Amino acid sequence: MIQLPKTFQRTLSVRLSLIVVSSMAILLLTSLVIMLYHSRKAMKEEALRNAEITLEATVQHIDNIVLSVEQATGNIYLSLLPYLDQPEMVVTYCRRLVEANPQIVGCAIATEENFYKDHPYFMAYVHRGVEDGKISSDNIIEEVCYDGEYLKQAWYRDPMTSLKPGWQEPLIGDEADEIPIITFCLHLPGHDGKPAGIMSVGVSLSQLSSIISETKPSKNSYCTLINSKGIYIAHPDSSKFNQKAVQLTSNEPSARAAAEAVISGKSGYDAFYLNGNDYYVFHKPFKRSSVTGRIMDTLNWNVGVVYPEDDIFGEYNNLIYYVLTIAIVGLLLLFVLYRAIIHHQLTPLLMLTASAQRIAQGKYDEIIPNSRQDDEIGRLQDNFQQMQQTLATNIGELDKLTVTLQEQSKNLHMAYDQAQKADRMKTAFLHYMTNKMTGPAITIEKDVEILVKATADSQRPQDGERNSGMQPATNSQLAVDIQQNGQTIADLLKNLLNISDDEIEKEERL
């Protein structure tokens, strides 16, 4: 159990304030946790909805670009077919296609060997110029090649090998001359029914990226387009066009797993960590709209929207900091406020505590003022005041009784001393009287013995020879002595009785 400091333990107002504020803090924290949980969930769902809308808009935007390129290419292709045997018309139609479509950076029409009798090898190439790494919209360059180098290049070789029209893999580096491109190709019909060449239209990956980058749900989010091999088709960072997403994230397992999830063609979202930041990627497969006459080949493209976590939960996290700061400051202010209010309400208790201490020290006349409150504390003060008054009265009476008892005790001590003294005097007097009566009593006893003996002798028969009894004079003298000694004893007893009566009268007067 948490032990509070002694200062808090001895201060009731602080403890009560802590109890109240702690209870409010628990309720507030519980409410905040529930609110923040549902807020985070709602924000995540909102981000998911925004990402879904963004993904759909991105797919639609890209598909519109792709469809416009396909339709423009198809229109020129159909227009070119009647003039396919005229090389100069091939160059003209190439130029028309590039000039009329700003999304197209170049168009190449190349034929198989000996398609034209006068030119064993032929390639018409019209493209936009590149100045300082940027595509020029006005500078359109025409080139006609009569050597067979193009036969070895991927944009021509791969579709001629696969015989599959449609969109091809991105051309990067030397294969794309100066800028990375993705190509759409159609096969030129030959006289024997086999493809006689390729019409290839290039779209700049950087231009495609800049177009889809305009569709972003938040400030720092961006869209990406990745093919089934994990190669970026569209990305805000042009340096990544030549690399695979999985390779770029190989050092971070979560980022690698997210890249693999995007490449897999599944819809959903994944969280990952990369370069010290947390991200969410929302992804879905790229599905083209079904249009009559459109080549619905499988592109195996996947589109994704990458959100930095701060873009989704940045304001939410700031809100948490603000709310926690406000909550802590508010709780501290509430604590101070409750402390002041409770301390004010408990002021009578503090006064009663001080008064009780002084009463405990013996100051029973401590004055307790009348209460100005009608609550329990006020009633306690009134009862304590009555108790103090009763105690003071009882203590006063007890003091008086103590004084009386002390005086009575003093009188009792004096009476006891006098009784002790009288007892000693009586003892001495009795001893004295005993000594005084002992002599006459012994004399009387001897005289009586002599008289008894003389009387016995006088009553015996006499032989006439001589009379051994006492003389009458002697008998008279003995009787006088007995009378005197008896009178002496009687006087002593009379005096003793008189003294006893005087003592009894004194005690009764006391």
Side-chain angles (χ1 to χ4, degrees):
M1 210 175 159
I2 298 176
Q3 295 292 331
L4 294 174
K6 291 184 177 180
T7 303
F8 289 175
Q9 293 179 1
R10 298 181 60 184
T11 307
L12 181 59
S13 60
V14 174
R15 284 186 289 147
L16 290 177
S17 301
L18 284 176
I19 292 172
V20 173
V21 173
S22 299
S23 302
M24 293 188 64
I26 293 173
L27 292 175
L28 180 61
L29 182 61
T30 303
S31 301
L32 285 177
V33 169
I34 296 173
M35 181 190 71
L36 293 175
Y37 169 77
H38 288 288
S39 298
R40 184 180 179 88
K41 184 178 179 181
M43 293 186 70
K44 195 170 184 178
E45 292 174 353
E46 181 66 20
L48 182 60
R49 287 192 295 269
N50 291 339
E52 183 66 25
I53 294 173
T54 302
L55 287 173
E56 191 61 34
T58 302
V59 170
Q60 190 64 40
H61 198 171
I62 295 174
D63 190 47
N64 290 338
I65 296 172
V66 170
L67 180 60
S68 66
V69 172
E70 292 175 356
Q71 290 178 339
T73 304
N75 292 335
I76 294 296
Y77 176 80
L78 294 175
S79 301
L80 176 62
L81 289 180
Y83 307 101
L84 190 58
D85 56 350
Q86 302 177 26
E88 64 277 5
M89 292 300 294
V90 171
V91 176
T92 300
Y93 277 101
C94 280
R95 187 178 184 91
R96 288 180 183 176
L97 180 60
V98 175
E99 288 178 343
N101 297 276
Q103 296 90 353
I104 296 176
V105 296
C107 176
I109 299 177
T111 61
E112 285 286 272
E113 186 178 0
N114 297 321
F115 181 79
Y116 295 110
K117 295 180 180 180
D118 298 335
H119 307 292
Y121 302 102
F122 176 83
M123 182 187 73
Y125 181 39
V126 179
H127 61 90
R128 300 181 186 276
V130 178
E131 299 175 0
D132 299 328
K134 295 182 180 181
I135 300 172
S136 174
S137 59
D138 299 328
N139 184 17
I140 297 177
I141 302 172
E142 295 181 2
E143 296 181 12
V144 179
C145 300
Y146 297 105
D147 56 34
E149 289 296 325
Y150 62 86
L151 297 175
K152 301 177 183 179
Q153 295 176 354
W155 67 270
Y156 183 87
R157 183 187 66 249
D158 292 345
M160 288 299 294
T161 302
S162 65
L163 299 179
K164 180 181 178 182
W167 291 94
Q168 305 299 314
E169 296 296 335
L171 299 179
I172 301 172
D174 294 337
E175 295 179 346
D177 292 336
E178 299 182 47
I179 57 174
I181 62 173
I182 187 170
T183 61
F184 175 75
C185 67
L186 295 173
H187 293 89
L188 301 177
H191 301 295
D192 55 359
K194 294 182 180 180
I198 291 293
M199 180 179 182
S200 180
V201 176
V203 177
S204 170
L205 297 184
S206 59
Q207 187 176 7
L208 186 62
S209 297
S210 64
I211 293 173
I212 68 171
S213 293
E214 296 175 358
T215 306
K216 52 192 307 184
S218 65
K219 179 180 178 181
N220 300 308
S221 63
Y222 58 90
C223 296
T224 62
L225 188 65
I226 305 176
N227 64 9
S228 60
K229 295 181 180 180
I231 298 175
Y232 285 111
I233 299 174
H235 194 284
D237 186 357
S238 60
S239 64
K240 295 182 179 180
F241 290 148
N242 195 29
Q243 303 181 50
K244 292 184 177 182
V246 175
Q247 293 176 345
L248 293 174
T249 59
S250 59
N251 294 330
E252 295 290 347
S254 61
R256 182 183 179 89
E260 292 175 349
V262 175
I263 297 170
S264 67
K266 298 179 181 179
S267 297
Y269 69 92
D270 294 272
F272 65 95
Y273 179 83
L274 184 64
N275 299 328
N277 296 310
D278 293 314
Y279 296 89
Y280 282 89
V281 57
F282 299 85
H283 52 85
K284 64 180 296 185
F286 181 88
K287 293 183 179 180
R288 297 187 294 169
S289 302
S290 178
V291 178
T292 303
R294 188 177 192 183
I295 299 175
M296 296 301 294
D297 57 324
T298 303
L299 298 180
N300 293 323
W301 291 354
N302 300 282
V303 63
V305 178
V306 179
Y307 274 94
E309 188 179 44
D310 288 341
D311 280 20
I312 302 176
F313 300 113
E315 294 183 0
Y316 169 83
N317 294 332
N318 293 333
L319 178 63
I320 291 178
Y321 298 143
Y322 295 148
V323 169
L324 289 178
T325 302
I326 293 172
I328 293 173
V329 173
L331 289 174
L332 290 176
L333 293 177
L334 281 177
F335 173 78
V336 174
L337 179 61
Y338 282 137
R339 169 73 170 80
I341 294 174
I342 295 175
H343 180 77
H344 177 72
Q345 293 295 320
L346 294 180
T347 300
L349 285 181
L350 299 176
M351 182 272 295
L352 292 178
T353 301
S355 299
Q357 290 177 348
R358 288 190 288 271
I359 291 173
Q361 295 171 359
K363 299 178 181 180
Y364 304 108
D365 57 348
E366 176 72 19
I367 298 177
I368 298 177
N370 295 326
S371 174
R372 292 180 293 179
Q373 299 178 210
D374 295 331
D375 55 7
E376 290 83 356
I377 297 177
R379 292 194 292 272
L380 174 63
Q381 184 176 348
D382 293 337
N383 293 332
F384 195 85
Q385 183 187 50
Q386 295 176 4
M387 181 185 71
Q388 183 273 332
Q389 293 174 354
T390 303
L391 180 62
T393 301
N394 292 335
I395 292 298
E397 294 177 355
L398 184 61
D399 290 339
K400 293 179 181 179
L401 181 59
T402 301
V403 172
T404 302
L405 290 176
Q406 288 177 349
E407 292 177 355
Q408 292 179 354
S409 177
K410 183 177 180 181
N411 293 333
L412 287 175
H413 279 292
M414 293 175 63
Y416 178 76
D417 292 339
Q418 291 177 359
Q420 290 289 330
K421 184 177 179 181
D423 185 66
R424 288 193 298 271
M425 290 176 66
K426 288 178 181 179
T427 301
F429 177 74
L430 291 174
H431 186 269
Y432 172 76
M433 293 300 293
T434 302
N435 289 334
K436 289 294 184 179
M437 289 187 295
T438 299
I442 293 173
T443 302
I444 291 171
E445 183 183 2
K446 288 182 180 180
D447 290 343
V448 171
E449 287 180 357
I450 294 172
L451 284 175
V452 171
K453 184 178 179 181
T455 302
D457 289 342
S458 65
Q459 291 178 357
R460 289 176 184 174
Q462 300 296 327
D463 55 4
E465 292 181 359
R466 63 183 182 96
N467 189 4
S468 58
M470 296 182 62
Q471 296 298 322
T474 304
N475 292 334
S476 298
Q477 185 63 41
L478 289 173
V480 171
D481 293 337
I482 291 170
Q483 182 180 8
Q484 290 178 350
N485 288 322
Q487 185 63 39
T488 301
I489 293 172
D491 293 338
L492 290 174
L493 291 174
K494 184 178 181 180
N495 293 332
L496 180 61
L497 290 173
N498 291 333
I499 294 173
S500 299
D501 292 338
D502 294 339
E503 293 294 331
I504 291 172
E505 288 178 0
K506 290 181 180 179
E507 291 179 358
E508 290 177 351
R509 287 195 297 268
L510 292 174

